Amino acid sequence: MNTAHPSGWHFIDSQGTFELQNPQQNSYVYFPLLNQAGMMSSITPRLNGDAKLGQNAFLLLPVSAEDLHNTRSARNFWARIKGQPWSVSGNSATQISNTGLDEQVTLQAGFLWHKIDRHDAPSGLRATVINFVPADDQSVELMQVTLSNQGEETLTLDPIAAIPIFARSADNLRDHRHVSSLLHRTTCHPYGVLVKPTMTFDERGHQENQTTYGVLGCDGDGHPPQGFTPLVEDFIGEGGSLDWPAAVLTDQPVLQQPDSTFEGYETIAGLHFPRINLAPGQSQHYILILGIFQPGQNLEALIEQYGSEQNISKALAETQAFWQEKLGTLRFDHQDERYDGWLQWVTLQPVLRRLMGNSFLPYHDYGRGGRGWRDLWQDLLALLITEQTDVESLLLGNYAGVRMDGSNATIVGLQPGEFKADRNSIPRVWMDHGTWPLVTTKRYLDLTGNLDLLLAEQTYFRDHLSHRGQRVNHQWSQGGDTALRAVSGEVVKGTILEHLLVQHLTAFFNVGEHNIIRLEGGDWNDGLDMAAERGESVAFSAMYAGNLSILSDLCMALVGAGVDEMQFNDALYPLLDQLSNPVDYDSVDAKQNRLAAYLDDVRGALSGKKIRLSLEAVSHDLTQKANWLTAHIKEQEWIEAEPGLGWFNGYYDAEGRRVDGKHSQGARMSMTGQVFPLMAGIASEEQTQAIIQAANRYLYDQDLKSYRLNTNFGTADLPKLGRAFGFAYGHKENGAFFSHMTVMFAYALYRQGHAQEAYHILGGLYQLSQDFDQSRIYPGIPEYFNPRGRGMYPYLTGSAAWYLFTLLTESFGVQGNLGSLCLAPKLVKDQFVQSDHISVKTVFAHRDVVITYNNPSRLSFGAYCIGDVTVNDTEIPVPPGIDSVHFTREEIEAWPEHVVIKVGLSPL
């Protein structure tokens, strides 16, 4: 996947460090900085961006992507040269107006640090600015500014830091912006400026504030500033601005000293350092600590910890080492520096989303913080393949969010397994939510073989909603216990298997008039939110069908492990209808009535009674449901456009009309409607070929070399399906090049054995992402590409997890099977352009495993078989002509901590 003429950024080492010349000439680009203590920052080439702990604790001004063009949020640092202001971030009026024609600017960034190098040719002054959030337990961002004289004359400089401090909730950006500043209590500390608002301003209930926000600073030897300008209006002066401030223009500004206090004003960390004379070849370092401090925190200790050139260099090295180790468990080697380096950044993205949610980078349209239900499970999916972490407790904790009606909590707390009642009584239910826990749990079981997880018990969630959000549970009051209880008052628990059954059995019976599972408030495509009454999702009905089959297999796996029977809450028994009172699955009314009776039964406290059932009988019930739903979709929803060209209908709208197919305005086709029938194995080989042809005709864009999420449905049916179709076509959930579903299309094609087509999709996403002239993003995969090819919502996207998962498990074929290891590669010759051998480093059974595929003939999947296999240079006998090799758990547990497996690929 080599790029002949890489543009924009390029990697400068094998550790993922990249470089970009003149980065300030690009709009909307930003870089994430964070640590596991909760500090989250974003930073641009001009050092704009914000820093925060959460929605209600912003140190710097909250920014959206459209705010990145101005200087209001800049981490500025000035050097006044011969009376003229010069900004190390390029944020002076003169630098902005002449677009930096006299300046040479270079960006370097790595895991997870950001460096800007700016050289002012006329004066010879060079500034290097490094920003990072240290990988420790401090809620700080560190900034090191180095001023160097590369000219021939001594420079006399006045160094001045200028960082506005927002110090409140993002809600106050427009709501009570001035009033909330009246709460500010600003103090000059010996090393900086601090703000401690008297309270958090929230008309729903003001609270006394305990948090202090501030910026501390010193020179490289630990010496403090000589004085401060702590108020914005004093710093900019009358008629001034942050990019041409009076405090920098003035030769001898009036400075405040330590212990000076001010009340009720907007604050800026205006830190004035002593004038210096910088001889040719000399450098001077300055260190800034941007922090959010808790009561009793020792600020002098922070100066001691970071406040010298030696100490901040040590903190940077430790941070770099931390992220390298964290990301080192998964590493692909295609002998292609650009692609393999790009994949390192994709590996980082699931970690970022697990720590930041979807809301804390400049594209923050997903809300006010936290993660959604779907995000929990996809993040754990990535965690399973990228980190050596025990995730069993995380999996178990997340199941506490399942309601007994098959829906789930949508407000996720900060701690694992913490769920909250829905904000503002929002009753929306996403019908796909029940599918994702099984996807992640199955992956965990395949990697570990720990079937005991299915036997572990967990509570159920309850709040004011019942009947899948359609009714109010009057037995529950706001602020009440969110654990479901029996009539006896005892907390109701069920096994993880039971939780999975609840999610899937309720979905199976929750059908609309076409006997397809109801769309409710939407599915994976959140924009399909206006067809709750009559809408149906064929796409996720297919996924539920596949999942029902998987659940059936898991029941039989338990039987094979000696667990013949299990106890279940008796309320669930009627939904296992094949065990007692069978339902006619062809009858919509019969299904709806069975579900209605069940929802009435579980709307309040349960009986608490248990019933013991044969797992073989439960497996049979699930198989019957899976087979019926599979056949129903295959027969009813297939659209034969012409010989060799067809696709599945994806949805029914609010008027009960089929969405996909022939239409007066042209053919309608949705990517989602094809992915899940393919993934679930519903599509035949003939149908798979027809889908590929249809996708290439109707969804593939020749210019951007990628697939759209859907064809253009127009706006006539906007109220009939969802808000997505009010978006301009080609943007977001309406026909964009949506990375997540595109990757899942590749995964589904791999599952059907179409490796060449699948890898073409993965390669296309990479090519579009790394083409900086078009995508304008740093290394990584964005949520989607707009019609111009610009990458939108970079970093925080579930597509990264699925890209890695697909490449590892399908392309490289590194798969688990209830604890055993299976290598079933679906590699193609395009992956061997740079070399006849490629490899992947991963973790399996707590062992570091490096798997190398040798393909001297550079054959594609379908033309090779497994030839020879060695494990740590010991040859493993394999039968001739096989396409996969298996290792039992017993074999694996006899391996050492580090394992090298070499697999030769031979012609068939």
Side-chain angles (χ1 to χ4, degrees):
M1 202 175 288
N2 186 44
T3 303
H5 301 287
S7 62
W9 51 263
H10 64 277
F11 291 110
I12 61 175
D13 60 29
S14 62
Q15 305 303 309
T17 307
F18 65 91
E19 184 175 277
L20 175 65
Q21 296 298 322
N22 296 314
Q24 78 284 359
Q25 295 178 2
N26 302 283
S27 303
Y28 299 103
V29 291
Y30 55 81
F31 189 81
L33 301 171
L34 78 163
N35 63 13
Q36 296 187 113
M39 191 67 176
M40 301 174 287
S41 298
S42 61
I43 191 167
T44 74
R46 290 190 184 273
L47 309 188
N48 296 342
D50 54 28
K52 61 274 175 182
L53 286 179
Q55 176 72 9
N56 297 313
F58 273 77
L59 168 66
L60 305 183
L61 186 77
V63 298
S64 71
E66 295 298 335
D67 298 314
L68 298 178
H69 322 310
N70 60 48
T71 60
R72 293 185 305 153
S73 59
R75 304 159 174 83
N76 218 336
F77 193 99
W78 297 88
R80 199 159 63 89
I81 312 170
K82 299 178 180 178
Q84 291 300 312
W86 186 74
S87 166
V88 304
S89 63
N91 278 314
S92 76
T94 55
Q95 288 166 294
I96 294 172
S97 63
N98 70 12
T99 65
L101 296 178
D102 296 327
E103 297 178 347
Q104 301 169 8
V105 184
T106 301
L107 160 74
Q108 287 184 358
F111 304 117
L112 263 173
W113 54 274
H114 179 275
K115 181 169 76 172
I116 289 291
D117 187 276
R118 183 180 300 274
H119 182 211
D120 179 55
S123 68
L125 181 61
R126 177 178 179 177
T128 303
V129 185
I130 299 176
N131 291 75
F132 65 99
V133 172
D136 54 29
D137 59 354
Q138 301 290 356
S139 301
V140 299
E141 178 190 323
L142 302 179
M143 177 172 170
Q144 182 183 34
V145 179
T146 301
L147 302 178
S148 303
N149 185 355
Q150 296 189 336
E152 298 179 355
E153 298 180 358
T154 296
L155 293 175
T156 300
L157 306 175
D158 293 313
I160 306 166
I163 302 177
I165 302 175
F166 187 66
R168 67 200 98 161
S169 169
D171 292 341
N172 299 133
L173 185 60
R174 184 176 184 278
D175 185 19
H176 296 98
R177 171 68 190 265
H178 171 254
V179 173
S180 57
S181 73
L182 303 182
L183 306 173
H184 282 191
R185 301 298 184 264
T186 302
T187 303
C188 294
H189 181 275
Y191 283 89
V193 175
L194 306 175
V195 183
K196 183 181 179 183
T198 55
M199 65 178 67
T200 57
F201 192 91
D202 188 336
E203 289 187 339
R204 291 170 295 179
H206 308 307
Q207 294 183 348
E208 183 179 357
N209 171 62
Q210 301 295 328
T211 302
T212 299
Y213 305 81
V215 177
L216 307 175
C218 62
D219 65 19
D221 296 319
H223 300 131
Q226 66 177 353
F228 311 96
T229 308
L231 303 183
V232 171
E233 62 183 66
D234 292 341
F235 192 84
I236 65 174
E238 293 297 333
S241 64
L242 286 173
D243 56 17
W244 203 247
V248 177
L249 293 169
T250 304
D251 183 35
Q252 293 183 336
V254 177
L255 302 182
Q256 303 297 328
Q257 297 302 310
D259 296 329
S260 298
T261 61
F262 303 86
E263 298 184 357
Y265 294 91
E266 293 282 357
T267 307
I268 186 170
L271 278 56
H272 298 253
F273 292 94
R275 179 172 292 173
I276 59 172
N277 294 309
L278 209 58
Q282 279 190 330
S283 297
Q284 178 66 49
H285 302 284
Y286 297 93
I287 297 154
L288 300 174
I289 304 170
L290 292 67
I292 302 176
F293 312 121
Q294 300 309 315
Q297 189 161 357
N298 188 335
L299 302 187
E300 285 71 21
L302 287 177
I303 295 293
E304 181 69 24
Q305 182 175 357
Y306 303 120
S308 70
E309 197 278 329
Q310 180 179 357
N311 286 356
I312 198 170
S313 296
K314 177 174 178 287
L316 175 60
E318 290 172 347
T319 299
Q320 293 169 328
F322 171 85
W323 288 107
Q324 287 293 336
E325 180 181 2
K326 194 171 190 66
L327 301 175
T329 55
L330 180 65
R331 187 68 63 90
F332 293 94
D333 185 1
H334 293 82
Q335 308 288 313
D336 183 334
E337 176 186 277
R338 192 167 177 87
Y339 184 43
D340 293 329
W342 180 83
L343 284 170
Q344 290 184 54
W345 285 93
V346 176
T347 303
L348 171 71
Q349 289 182 242
V351 182
L352 294 178
R353 201 178 67 158
R354 183 164 57 84
L355 297 175
M356 300 183 85
N358 280 329
S359 307
F360 291 119
L361 285 178
Y363 283 110
H364 52 61
D365 290 1
Y366 280 111
R368 300 161 50 82
R371 291 176 292 163
W373 178 259
R374 194 184 303 119
D375 303 332
L376 287 180
W377 300 98
Q378 292 187 137
D379 292 348
L380 279 176
L381 182 68
L383 192 63
L384 285 167
I385 63 176
T386 58
E387 298 188 49
Q388 292 208 50
T389 304
D390 183 8
V391 300
E392 182 177 349
S393 59
L394 298 177
L395 281 169
L396 185 61
N398 286 345
Y399 276 102
V402 176
R403 292 191 185 95
M404 201 69 190
D405 66 4
S407 64
N408 52 264
T410 55
I411 303 300
V412 180
L414 297 177
Q415 301 303 316
E418 179 188 0
F419 300 94
K420 302 176 182 180
D422 292 303
R423 180 172 55 237
N424 300 327
S425 300
I426 299 173
R428 188 174 177 188
V429 172
W430 287 264
M431 62 83 64
D432 70 305
H433 276 182
T435 65
W436 300 108
L438 178 58
V439 172
T440 303
T441 301
K442 180 60 164 59
R443 174 64 181 169
Y444 168 81
L445 296 174
D446 282 339
L447 290 175
T448 65
N450 180 23
L451 289 171
D452 287 343
L453 176 70
L454 296 174
L455 309 179
E457 291 194 329
Q458 183 54 280
T459 58
Y460 287 93
F461 181 79
R462 71 163 181 172
D463 60 359
H464 62 287
L465 300 176
S466 71
H467 293 74
R468 297 183 66 83
Q470 299 304 304
R471 299 187 191 176
V472 174
N473 174 15
H474 294 289
Q475 298 180 23
W476 189 89
S477 58
Q478 188 69 34
D481 182 9
T482 58
L484 179 65
R485 293 183 178 272
V487 291
S488 65
E490 184 179 358
V491 172
V492 174
K493 290 187 176 182
T495 63
I496 296 305
L497 178 61
E498 181 181 281
H499 282 68
L500 290 166
L501 290 176
V502 166
Q503 292 175 301
H504 287 79
L505 294 175
T506 52
F508 178 79
F509 288 100
N510 187 28
V511 295
E513 60 202 76
H514 300 90
N515 218 338
I516 295 295
I517 299 174
R518 294 179 57 237
L519 181 57
E520 299 182 287
D523 62 9
W524 172 89
N525 189 336
D526 290 352
L528 306 181
D529 59 348
M530 299 174 71
E533 293 197 9
R534 296 180 66 185
E536 298 167 69
S537 174
V538 180
F540 278 90
S541 293
M543 189 171 185
Y544 275 109
N547 277 9
L548 285 165
S549 183
I550 293 171
L551 277 173
S552 176
D553 292 341
L554 289 178
C555 287
M556 294 309 298
L558 285 169
V559 172
V563 183
D564 295 324
E565 295 181 338
M566 282 180 60
Q567 283 190 331
F568 299 92
N569 283 291
D570 69 343
L572 195 61
Y573 188 52
L575 298 187
L576 294 163
D577 63 293
Q578 298 296 314
L579 279 63
S580 57
N581 183 15
V583 172
D584 178 6
Y585 293 161
D586 290 328
S587 171
V588 170
D589 288 341
K591 280 183 172 178
Q592 291 177 342
N593 291 337
R594 183 60 60 95
L595 179 64
Y598 172 80
L599 295 180
D600 285 342
D601 195 26
V602 300
R603 64 181 173 181
L606 298 192
S607 69
K609 295 179 181 179
K610 298 279 188 175
I611 184 171
R612 182 170 290 276
L613 299 175
S614 158
L615 286 183
E616 187 172 353
V618 172
S619 174
H620 173 75
D621 176 277
L622 296 171
T623 297
Q624 292 293 100
K625 289 178 168 66
N627 290 344
W628 182 91
L629 189 50
T630 295
H632 180 63
I633 293 171
K634 196 167 186 176
E635 178 181 352
Q636 177 177 283
E637 303 302 336
W638 179 251
I639 301 165
E640 188 78 39
E642 59 185 65
L645 190 76
W647 61 95
F648 284 99
N649 173 45
Y651 298 95
Y652 290 92
D653 67 13
E655 294 185 352
R657 299 174 302 178
R658 173 177 283 185
V659 172
D660 290 53
K662 296 180 180 178
H663 192 269
S664 59
Q665 296 178 346
R668 286 183 172 182
M669 181 180 183
S670 63
M671 174 74 73
T672 316
Q674 317 320 309
V675 164
F676 296 103
L678 287 169
M679 194 182 296
I682 292 175
S684 66
E685 173 57 25
E686 183 180 357
Q687 288 173 326
T688 300
Q689 294 280 6
I691 289 171
I692 293 172
Q693 294 303 316
N696 287 339
R697 177 181 295 187
Y698 294 118
L699 299 177
Y700 190 72
D701 185 281
Q702 293 292 339
D703 293 330
L704 296 185
K705 309 299 182 188
S706 189
Y707 290 90
R708 294 185 181 275
L709 191 57
N710 53 269
T711 55
N712 192 348
F713 293 179
T715 59
D717 292 331
L718 164 63
K720 308 300 189 299
L721 193 56
R723 69 176 187 267
F725 302 101
F727 301 153
Y729 181 67
H731 296 265
K732 212 96 171 45
E733 290 98 339
N734 184 19
F737 305 95
F738 220 96
S739 301
H740 196 167
M741 194 51 60
T742 305
V743 172
M744 295 181 82
F745 186 36
Y747 177 80
L749 290 176
Y750 271 123
R751 299 285 289 178
Q752 293 289 337
H754 289 263
Q756 188 64 56
E757 293 86 349
Y759 188 70
H760 176 72
I761 293 172
L762 296 185
L765 276 173
Y766 160 68
Q767 295 291 355
L768 191 51
S769 297
Q770 65 83 43
D771 184 357
F772 186 79
D773 286 343
Q774 192 161 57
S775 68
R776 299 291 172 177
I777 57 173
Y778 297 145
I781 188 169
E783 181 186 81
Y784 72 96
F785 300 90
N786 71 15
R788 295 180 173 179
R790 183 184 288 273
M792 306 295 289
Y793 297 71
Y795 298 113
L796 304 181
T797 165
S799 54
W802 274 91
Y803 196 104
L804 299 171
F805 181 67
T806 301
L807 192 61
L808 177 66
T809 65
E810 292 298 325
S811 181
F812 279 77
V814 183
Q815 302 172 358
N817 183 11
L818 298 183
S820 65
L821 173 62
C822 173
L823 301 181
K826 298 187 182 80
L827 301 166
V828 299
K829 64 179 181 180
D830 293 343
Q831 291 172 267
F832 295 91
V833 171
Q834 302 300 312
S835 174
D836 62 2
H837 63 276
I838 61 177
S839 63
V840 61
K841 176 189 175 186
T842 187
V843 174
F844 198 94
H846 302 290
R847 287 159 176 80
D848 292 322
V849 182
V850 176
I851 301 158
T852 299
Y853 292 106
N854 297 305
N855 187 4
S857 300
R858 307 196 182 193
L859 302 168
S860 285
F861 175 70
Y864 62 70
C865 62
I866 303 295
D868 54 273
V869 178
T870 62
V871 177
N872 284 352
D873 296 325
T874 299
E875 187 171 350
I876 305 299
V878 295
I882 62 171
D883 59 6
S884 62
V885 60
H886 300 258
F887 302 95
T888 67
R889 194 71 176 187
E890 290 74 18
E891 291 178 280
I892 297 168
E893 289 178 347
W895 290 349
E897 184 178 349
H898 301 282
V899 184
V900 176
I901 302 175
K902 296 181 180 179
V903 179
L905 304 180
S906 302
L908 283 172

